[in-house]
Amino acid sequence: MASRKQTIPNDSRNFGERPAKRAKVDDEREASTSSAEPSNGMEDITRAARLLEGEEGLEDEVEPGQSKNEPRASDLYLDTINRALLDFDFEKVCSVSMSNINTYGCLVCGKYFQGRGRNSYAYAHSIHDDHHVFINLETAKVYVLPDGYLVSDPSLEDISFVLNPSFTKTSTSTLSSSSHLLKPSYDLSSKPYLSGYIGLNNIKRNDHMNVIIHSLLHIPPLRDYLLLSSFHGKESELVKRFAALAKKIWNPRLFKSQVSPHEFLQEVNRASAGKFRLEQQGDPVEFLGWLLNRLHKDMGGTKRKNSSIIFSTFQGELRVETQQVVVRPDSTGSEKPQFDIDRDIKATVSPFLFLAVDLPPPPLFQDTIEKNIIPQVSIHSVLAKYDGVTTQESAGQLRRYKCQRFPQYIILHYKRFTKNAFVEEKNPTIVTFPLRGVDFREYLDAAPTHPPTVYDLIANVTHESVAGTTRDKENTIWKVHLRAAGGGGEGEKWFQIQDLIVEETRKEMIFLGETVLQIWERRAANANGNASMKMDVDRR
């Protein structure tokens, strides 16, 4: 015992070097079994018991003059870290036990393991595979196993930022400005990318959900709310994972210029009871409706206006007037039913998150000259449904619609698919629209104090499939057009994203696709309190 105590001051550990492999564990075992000092006997017995039980967290050795809570710096194993293999996009569960409790990521091979005690899978991996650097996926603390000591090194900060990106109000204030286009980022392979406009991995058949994720995460109020969030309370797992996905998409320091939505979509599958799955093609409009309502509920929203960021951003009010259809004896078969002011008209006002727009039916027969002509219609002709004059007949009732209040962001759903008794049909009609300056005043019945009604397009979801009028879900491709910056002119750019393919697109080509969903942003008022009435595709 005396000779052992005499050699401790000359131990290499007192000179800031990493202890020899397993040296710390062996020293602790010897101390717990052969120490003869009465004052430390009980502490050594307790410590040995914890080690043998594999309890979480081997205690760090404390050097002379070093605080017990102070992390111990070491860099001998840091050169084994392989950043190219690190991927924090997938669900954080142990690759052996499939448990999500106390999970660590190996910074050498990228695999996930549970715990770091002596009986844990991470501990066994460090010995069998000679991989020694692990990061706690919850706290982002880095440990060296099997020695079990904490590592504090500035070179690990980039890994922590990729695992848990953080944003400030200053960093989010420029994401929608033209200055953001001038600040490209670079991944590990020196490939440039623009944060926010990156590809989402199509794991199996989830491209219809990818376009909705991109569209929502480019709405500035919702985007900034998620980027600045720090959820550690009773928020649902869906909200937490959606915020984490938003931070990854807008992260300017990614290792790879793409993101996998796997972790978020796994929670979507659970929360929707299997309605929206990775391996099954679906309808983006159905997913959008479910996601908005579920996020509103999970964020503590109620039926009141502005009770959540979802309602304050997307919710408007619509007045619906209905009247029973009465067939007059003197009417001919070709006459369309009209509202009769002499009879009662029932009016109801209800909230909406998006407006459904009907497309005119395509012609049934075309001659040989026009057989390849695709019908086109302007956006104002299909929005006439909400002018308060156009009537629709359904189930023996006449209806007409007029908006009472427009939200800051209007979501339009073009009803391109209809079902009959035999097949689901697709309407190939092209809707023409400008990118800027669409005035919705004609479809609003509100006081003059209502905010401006001029809107600019910010997101556009299109559908592509084989030619014909029958919907083919198996060969469907979903794309989204996203606006970068704004204000028109050369400072405004548009990107087309299809899964991992991100490319800049010409503004004149956007309306040529079969649009299914659009999000319009209210134009800010000028100094006189009114929005510019100019309708244009681009400023020259």
Side-chain angles (χ1 to χ4, degrees):
M1 291 295 296
S3 61
R4 183 183 294 112
K5 292 182 179 179
Q6 291 174 357
T7 58
I8 289 178
N10 295 326
D11 197 305
S12 61
R13 285 175 288 176
N14 290 329
F15 295 94
E17 298 182 5
R18 186 193 64 79
K21 181 186 283 189
R22 301 292 300 277
K24 172 172 166 290
V25 178
D26 294 337
D27 288 350
E28 289 171 340
R29 183 180 302 161
E30 292 176 8
S32 64
T33 55
S34 60
S35 176
E37 297 183 9
S39 58
N40 296 330
M42 185 59 66
E43 296 179 4
D44 294 336
I45 293 174
T46 304
R47 195 175 194 183
R50 292 180 60 193
L51 290 173
L52 293 176
E53 292 173 2
E55 185 172 313
E56 165 58 28
L58 297 175
E59 294 186 13
D60 300 331
E61 287 200 20
V62 181
E63 299 178 4
Q66 180 184 18
S67 171
K68 184 174 182 179
N69 296 327
E70 181 181 350
R72 164 176 156 176
S74 177
D75 58 357
L76 292 184
Y77 281 137
L78 299 188
D79 60 346
T80 64
I81 295 176
N82 190 347
R83 286 170 171 79
L85 295 180
L86 301 184
D87 190 349
F88 301 121
D89 294 342
F90 291 90
E91 208 166 9
K92 296 175 176 59
V93 296
C94 175
S95 58
V96 180
S97 66
M98 301 305 294
S99 171
N100 61 353
I101 301 174
N102 196 25
T103 309
Y104 287 75
C106 176
L107 297 184
V108 181
C109 65
K111 296 180 180 179
Y112 296 166
F113 298 95
Q114 185 179 15
R116 60 184 177 90
R118 293 196 59 184
N119 292 335
S120 66
Y121 296 110
Y123 188 95
H125 178 72
S126 68
I127 296 177
H128 297 159
D129 292 74
D130 204 25
H131 296 173
H132 300 285
V133 191
F134 293 80
I135 186 169
N136 187 301
L137 299 179
E138 184 70 24
T139 65
K141 292 183 178 181
V142 178
Y143 297 87
V144 168
L145 296 182
D147 304 312
Y149 58 84
L150 183 67
V151 176
S152 177
D153 193 284
S155 65
L156 301 175
E157 192 272 337
D158 61 331
I159 299 178
S160 299
F161 194 87
V162 171
L163 176 61
N164 294 318
S166 60
F167 294 82
T168 62
K169 290 185 178 180
T170 303
S171 62
T172 58
S173 62
T174 61
L175 295 180
S176 298
S177 64
S178 56
S179 62
H180 182 65
L181 299 174
L182 305 176
K183 299 183 295 184
S185 302
Y186 296 88
D187 60 12
L188 288 178
S189 59
S190 299
K191 177 183 177 182
Y193 72 93
L194 189 63
S195 61
Y197 303 87
I198 59 177
L200 286 178
N201 189 20
N202 185 1
I203 303 171
K204 286 188 178 179
R205 303 299 300 277
N206 57 281
D207 54 337
H208 65 288
M209 294 187 277
N210 288 351
V211 295
I212 297 301
I213 292 172
H214 263 309
S215 300
L216 291 182
L217 294 184
H218 283 78
I219 306 302
L222 179 60
R223 176 199 66 200
D224 295 348
Y225 173 84
L226 295 172
L227 294 184
L228 298 175
S229 63
S230 179
F231 297 130
H232 297 292
K234 298 182 180 179
E235 295 84 3
S236 71
E237 191 67 22
L238 184 72
V239 175
K240 292 179 181 178
R241 294 193 181 188
F242 195 44
L245 180 58
K247 294 176 181 179
K248 292 175 182 177
I249 289 178
W250 287 96
N251 187 356
R253 300 165 59 184
L254 290 173
F255 290 161
K256 297 179 294 184
S257 58
Q258 64 190 52
V259 171
S260 174
H262 179 270
E263 191 174 15
F264 171 67
L265 295 183
Q266 284 289 89
E267 183 60 28
V268 166
N269 186 18
R270 284 192 288 265
S272 65
K275 182 177 181 180
F276 302 102
R277 301 197 297 270
L278 293 172
E279 67 276 6
Q280 181 177 342
Q281 187 65 263
D283 190 341
V285 179
E286 290 184 9
F287 176 64
L288 174 64
W290 176 87
L291 183 60
L292 289 179
N293 284 282
R294 186 59 183 255
L295 289 175
H296 167 73
K297 178 183 176 182
D298 291 352
M299 290 176 179
T302 62
K303 293 184 178 180
R304 298 195 310 269
K305 291 190 300 184
N306 301 328
S307 58
S308 75
I309 187 66
I310 301 297
F311 273 18
S312 62
T313 304
F314 300 109
Q315 190 187 56
E317 291 181 349
L318 178 70
R319 186 184 72 238
V320 182
E321 296 179 344
T322 60
Q323 188 180 67
Q324 194 72 24
V325 175
V326 176
V327 180
R328 294 179 300 177
D330 58 341
S331 63
T332 61
S334 60
E335 285 188 12
K336 291 185 177 180
Q338 300 288 336
F339 270 83
D340 188 352
I341 59 175
D342 296 330
R343 293 189 294 115
D344 291 337
I345 298 177
K346 182 181 178 181
T348 57
V349 177
S350 57
F352 69 85
L353 290 177
F354 50 81
L355 296 173
V357 179
D358 301 316
L359 297 178
L364 293 177
F365 304 100
Q366 296 175 343
D367 54 30
T368 56
I369 299 177
E370 298 180 344
K371 63 180 180 179
N372 293 324
I373 295 179
I374 300 176
Q376 296 187 15
V377 63
S378 68
I379 186 173
H380 283 290
S381 63
V382 294
L383 284 176
K385 171 183 177 180
Y386 297 99
D387 61 6
V389 178
T390 304
T391 61
Q392 290 186 338
E393 182 180 1
S394 175
Q397 286 188 334
L398 285 179
R399 294 181 181 178
R400 58 188 181 190
Y401 307 91
K402 190 93 173 193
C403 294
Q404 300 294 101
R405 178 176 62 87
F406 280 134
Q408 184 179 1
Y409 293 85
I410 298 177
I411 302 178
L412 296 182
H413 164 218
Y414 296 93
K415 300 175 69 174
R416 195 168 290 279
F417 307 107
T418 56
K419 291 183 180 180
N420 57 34
F422 304 100
V423 72
E424 187 173 8
E425 296 181 343
K426 179 191 68 173
N427 191 329
T429 302
I430 298 298
V431 180
T432 60
F433 52 86
L435 301 183
R436 295 175 47 78
V438 174
D439 190 4
F440 286 77
R441 171 66 65 178
E442 182 182 352
Y443 319 110
L444 179 69
D445 185 10
T449 57
H450 190 279
T453 57
V454 178
Y455 286 75
D456 301 328
L457 187 65
I458 192 172
N460 181 64
V461 176
T462 61
H463 163 274
E464 288 186 9
S465 62
V466 295
T469 59
T470 302
R471 184 177 185 181
D472 185 2
K473 287 187 177 181
E474 297 301 321
N475 298 304
T476 295
I477 298 175
W478 295 99
K479 298 180 180 180
V480 60
H481 298 100
L482 299 172
R483 188 187 75 196
E490 297 299 327
E492 178 180 298
K493 297 186 181 297
W494 283 83
F495 291 91
Q496 177 180 278
I497 301 180
Q498 176 196 343
D499 299 332
L500 298 179
I501 304 173
V502 181
E503 54 189 5
E504 187 177 349
T505 184
R506 294 178 57 87
K507 302 174 185 178
E508 297 83 0
M509 305 292 290
I510 293 177
F511 77 92
L512 297 179
E514 297 179 358
T515 298
V516 174
L517 200 71
Q518 288 180 334
I519 303 181
W520 294 82
E521 179 185 36
R522 176 185 289 143
R523 183 177 296 184
N526 55 26
N528 298 326
N530 298 317
S532 172
M533 300 296 293
K534 184 177 180 181
M535 179 186 297
D536 56 358
V537 174
D538 194 5
R539 291 180 187 169
R540 298 294 181 187

